[in-house]
Amino acid sequence: MEFSEHIKTANVEDVVLRQPLHPPSRGTLCITGHHLLFSDREEGSSRQVLLLLRNIDAIEKSVENLLGYSGFFSNAGLSERMSGSSGTITIKCKDLRVLQLDIPGMEQCLNIAHSIETLSCLDCVSEMYPFFYRPADLSLQDQWGLSTPEKHYSQMKELCERWRLSSVNRDYSVCPSYPSAVIVPNSIDDSTLKKVAKFRQGGRFPVLCYYHKKNGMVIMRSSQPLMGANRKRCKEDELLLQAVIDGSDKGYIIDTRSSQQAQQARMTGGGFESKSCYSHWKRLHRQMDRGKALQESLIKLVEACGDESNNMDRWLSKLENSKWLSHVQTALSTAGLLAECVERDGHSVLVHGSEGTDSSLLISTLAQLIMDPCCRTLDGFLALLEREWLQAGHPFQQRCARSAYSHARLQQESPVFLLLLDCVWQLWRQFPLALGFSEALLIRLATEVYASDYGTFLCNSDQERCAMGIKDKTHCLFQALLRPGERDFYSNPLYEPTELAIWPSVHPQSLQLWRGFFLRWTQQARHLEEAQEEIRNMLIEWGKLALS
Amino acid sequence: MEHIRTPKVENVRLLDRSLGQRKASVGTLYLSATHTIFVENNPETRKETWVLHSMVSSVDRPPATPGGSQLVLRCKDFRVYQVLIPQERDCADVHASLVRLSRPEKYSELYCLSFNPNVNKEEREASWSFIDLMADYKRMGVPNNLWVATAVNSEYRVCDTYPSELFVPKSATTGIIVGSSRFRSRGRFPALSYFHQDTLAAVCRCSQPLSGFSGRCQEDELMLQAVMKSNPGSDYIYVVDTRPKLNAMANRAAGKGYENEDHYTNIKLQFIGIENIHVMRSSQQKIIDVGEMRAPSMSDFLWGLENSGWLKHIKAVLDAGAFIARAVADEGVSVLVHCSDGWDRTAQACSVASILLDPYYRTIRGFMVLIERDWVSFGHKFSHRYAHLDGDPKEVSPVIDQLLECVWQLSEQFPCAFEFNERFLITLHTYVYSCQYGSFLGNCQKERRDLRLRERTHSAWPQLWKDRSDYANPLYQAELSQSQGVLRPNTSPYCFKMWKGLYNHVEKSAPPRQSPADYLAAVREESQQLEEELTNHQEVPPGGTAHHHHQHHQHPQPGSRQEDSSSDRSANHVGEAVGSEEDD
């Protein structure tokens, strides 16, 4: 398919661009297969705005004709009658920026709007921009990704006594959303795993995702067991879980659904680990909202942030009504519970909800940040995301297809990853010295996950990424973020490693709206950025002096 | 001591609720003339908790429990102590004593009159001239050919709640001033608060006119005319009535009210809508309750925050200041600010405006000057508002709390613009309430003079100045664009948050406690030292000093980066840091 067939008007002169934090500017608008390019041609200044079409979540257009001619028209004699007309396109981006373009000529305006609408939501992966992005300082031969399950396993010497690396899923046939290699108990062979996979939704059998060096306890994750209405059992599944707690008295299962929801899931073939079959496991239910509820929460929050009524009561009630901060609170407190089970209680934990691709990943990631200092460095955090989200099969393409402004009917969209980043930001704010990365990294990730030059967040699983040749044909975001210049920018200048667990406060007063992201296009965010810059300068200066 | 029946009770349990403490400590409770003192039994720590009687706002006796009788002490700095006393009788005695001691009836009972820091007479007298208001007027270029000093209020003859030294428009004669003062509530005629040299526009303040429905006063009209004439760049002035318009209208029925635009030529009247002291008092009580909720859900919390109305009121004060600052800086128009009596909302609005307009007031010393000028000298009723003496509870209201909070909200928005930190604001809050110093006693200058406070008490300012390294904001950068010139704050609702540092003393999370500010302060100090050394040692070959520098390099790291969560340890740490600094 050719992009050009969607572009009737490629260039428009004399367009006025209005964007936050800048005065309006006049220049040329150009539309390509993947970008909207605006270049400002005013005296000397040649500012350019390059916007990835994929970043556009929604547009609104209004055209007006100075001759009193309304939007309805026929083709005949159009050019003559259009002379006095103009149009405005409001562009709402997935990074929450809102731009406005005043375009002379109704036809040009409608053409541009049509191109944006079509090109911004093409869903053919191989035609997306990462396949065309070829920056001079990166080579496709560079290493893709930071690690592999094999490497991860081999680096943790403590594991090999009781755990093994299984490649039962090498061709992705046992579990399409898992990576090709996973870590399982030594005593469980591949044929058992295959049977367990049939008893778990989507084949997501329990695998190890975290080993706590201090006491040898682990976090496992999976999807729900398929017990169904007639309470089916699976001996192999029970065996696997028994092998996990081998030698200790009990383990915990944190089910991210309420017990009522778990019961109801039986009606559709799902279910939970019943006490009678898994006698050594204690189930804890913590209801976490997911899917549509989260997406709607995000939409309401963004709407509240854009409210211009300047009314405090209205703001606070909209903030409350969006429930976003409640989701943050629930996620952090459930992750805290998980970490408490492992670190303080000294027990292994299995985490799952229903599919095991969203809230399970959310809380296992947060719990690892709370407990494990290795995850808190810049490299460690990106590796954690790679393991727990990319390799673990969070369906990024489905979840992040659209964001808060889209008018399209919701399908699989859900801002789980954004919620993760928000929770990590809360940790970062409460422990400003404990994390090795900066707020800028979290904001960058929140942007890249929705629209990116890099292939990292494309597709829904390892299998799909392999099939699309992502690793050969696109560049890796994580590698790019670790280049020397970028590494400095995304590091926390205040970072001071601590071996201690960082237990977050989940009291509502301790949780704040993530202004750096949700209000990033306001003047206020600029002042905060300036302060961060100041901190960085101070420490650089100090470092120089200390060395001299 | 006459009020203390039982000076010592043993086996008392104390729970500091505001610290999020869950386990009570056991110890001995002592009552002194000025403090309640609790000493922990634990021989290792022997931790002491001192609570000043004047900081106690209420003492409640909830029903007794099997473990003994309870007392709940709520303090004016929002700390809450729960005390469990084994014997009912002892509890009753302590309760009776505390109720009496926490409500002094006479100034002579106040702590500042017995407080005797280790300074001699000369030092005490010098402490009272630490802040020199005349020097500040000079700094802003006053007197000049537009604004002049007037002696009309010497001996407080015209207005007893105003200072004796005041600045007025050059063209305002004594007749005009006196006439205008007769037409203003409590005689508080228009006087200069701040002069903005860049635009020659001024911020003036007064109280409401006694206009009723149709009253007018020629001198008052001339007075406002004179204010306008003192600004060559503009042919009108703004009159900012900081009250809600409805309240201002209601005042007309009582013979007061607001300026009639038909009578005054060249004024533009603007209402801002800051609520009165009674609304603010109950609003603060609600936000204290929100802070004390045990395990609220996010919805409970946000609903409570909305329902308290507190942030809405803070926003109104900031909006008032921002309006005045815009008028003065951007339009070059002078502003006359008033509310009813012109000593609460007017003080708030004028102070916020000055802070926005002039970077000087964002420094430690400048902020002291500001409080001294707009609040102390212009007759803000400290003793009534902050219940220094047992009196009418309807006079009590957190007026200065709101100013301090506005400044805190601004410092959150402009992290590099203020020389001082949150601790400074909180300490100032404590000083206003604690009566440890004479600075904030009484209700106006005249009353302070009559009480001879300068001879009998000490000023708070030199003490704050001495401790200024504790109050320094390490991010303060006078050269940054956000710090320079006029601050233009965003007052959208989303810019405001609950001031946890004031209402809840600690983040209720487990260790490690981390304070980037403390760390940065250490870094800043260290960098300065290194820089000095570098300039001093320039002759020494570079290799020669490497070891020496290396040692220093290590210095700020231990301790200051991570602290244990227990408050006494961090208190110790502050002490240690100060000690080692002196050794150097």
Side-chain angles (χ1 to χ4, degrees), chain A residues 264-283:
Chain A
Q264 279 165 355
R266 283 174 47 219
M267 298 308 135
T268 48
F272 51 90
E273 294 81 358
S274 67
K275 215 173 208 155
S276 53
C277 311
Y278 301 83
S279 55
H280 289 285
W281 288 83
K282 186 173 165 46
R283 258 186 304 120

Side-chain angles (χ1 to χ4, degrees), chain A residues 305 310-313 315-317 319-320 323 325-326 329 344 429-434 494-498 500-505 507-512 515 519 522 524 527-528 530-531 534-535 538-539 542 545-546 548, chain B residues 290-291 293 296-299 301-302 306 311-312 315 412-416 474-475 477 480-482 491-497 500 504 507-509 511-512 514 516 519-520 523-524 526-527 530-531 534 549 553 556 561-562:
Chain A
C305 290
N310 208 22
N311 177 322
M312 184 66 73
D313 290 349
W315 157 248
L316 287 171
S317 96
L319 181 63
E320 191 275 312
K323 294 278 179 276
L325 284 172
S326 304
Q329 188 189 31
R344 289 196 176 147
R429 203 193 62 78
Q430 290 186 22
F431 301 94
L433 313 181
L494 291 172
Y495 178 51
E496 171 80 345
T498 171
L500 298 171
I502 48 170
W503 300 103
S505 162
H507 194 279
Q509 289 177 45
S510 305
L511 303 175
Q512 292 185 1
R515 289 176 168 74
L519 299 167
T522 63
Q524 201 204 10
H527 297 314
L528 300 183
E530 214 169 65
E534 195 47 44
I535 292 177
M538 251 167 87
L539 285 145
W542 173 53
L545 283 164
S548 62
Chain B
V290 168
M293 286 196 282
S297 70
M298 187 56 81
S299 294
F301 172 73
L302 289 173
E306 181 191 340
L311 292 179
K312 181 170 69 187
K315 175 172 153 54
E412 285 288 294
Q413 197 170 139
F414 302 96
C416 307
L475 286 178
Q477 282 289 43
L480 272 184
S481 63
Q482 67 166 272
T491 61
S492 300
Y494 56 67
C495 295
F496 294 82
K497 2 178 215 208
K500 226 170 53 140
N504 264 61
E507 186 120 26
K508 286 176 186 132
S509 76
Q514 301 194 313
Y519 177 61
L520 287 170
V523 164
R524 170 142 286 183
E526 157 100 359
S527 294
L530 287 167
E531 224 161 283
L534 269 181
H549 284 153
H553 175 71
R561 302 210 82 168
Q562 273 170 28

Side-chain angles (χ1 to χ4, degrees), chain B residues 225-242:
Chain B
Q225 193 78 14
V227 170
M228 187 204 81
K229 275 196 239 151
S230 274
N231 178 5
S234 168
D235 50 11
Y236 65 95
I237 62 169
Y238 282 109
V239 173
V240 169
D241 190 330
T242 55

Side-chain angles (χ1 to χ4, degrees), chain A residues 2 19 26 32 93 127 144 146 199-200 207 213 271 277 339 357 362 367 375 402 447 461 488 498 507 524 527 534:
Chain A
E2 283 293 318
Q19 54 174 336
R26 190 176 292 274
T32 72
C93 300
E127 282 171 3
W144 211 100
L146 303 174
F199 186 63
R200 295 273 172 178
V207 295
K213 286 180 192 154
C277 311
T357 53
L362 176 60
C375 299
R402 310 202 152 270
T447 309
S461 64
D488 282 349
T498 171
H507 194 279
Q524 201 204 10
H527 297 314
E534 195 47 44

Side-chain angles (χ1 to χ4, degrees), chain A residues 377-390:
Chain A
T377 62
L378 175 58
D379 301 73
F381 179 59
L382 292 177
L384 176 70
L385 294 183
E386 185 178 66
R387 266 198 323 274
E388 288 297 278
W389 292 79
L390 292 164

Side-chain angles (χ1 to χ4, degrees), chain A residues 138 143-146 386 454-456 474-481:
Chain A
L138 287 173
Q143 185 195 336
W144 211 100
L146 303 174
E386 185 178 66
Y454 300 91
T456 300
T474 75
H475 292 289
C476 168
L477 172 68
F478 293 168
Q479 287 292 353
L481 293 177

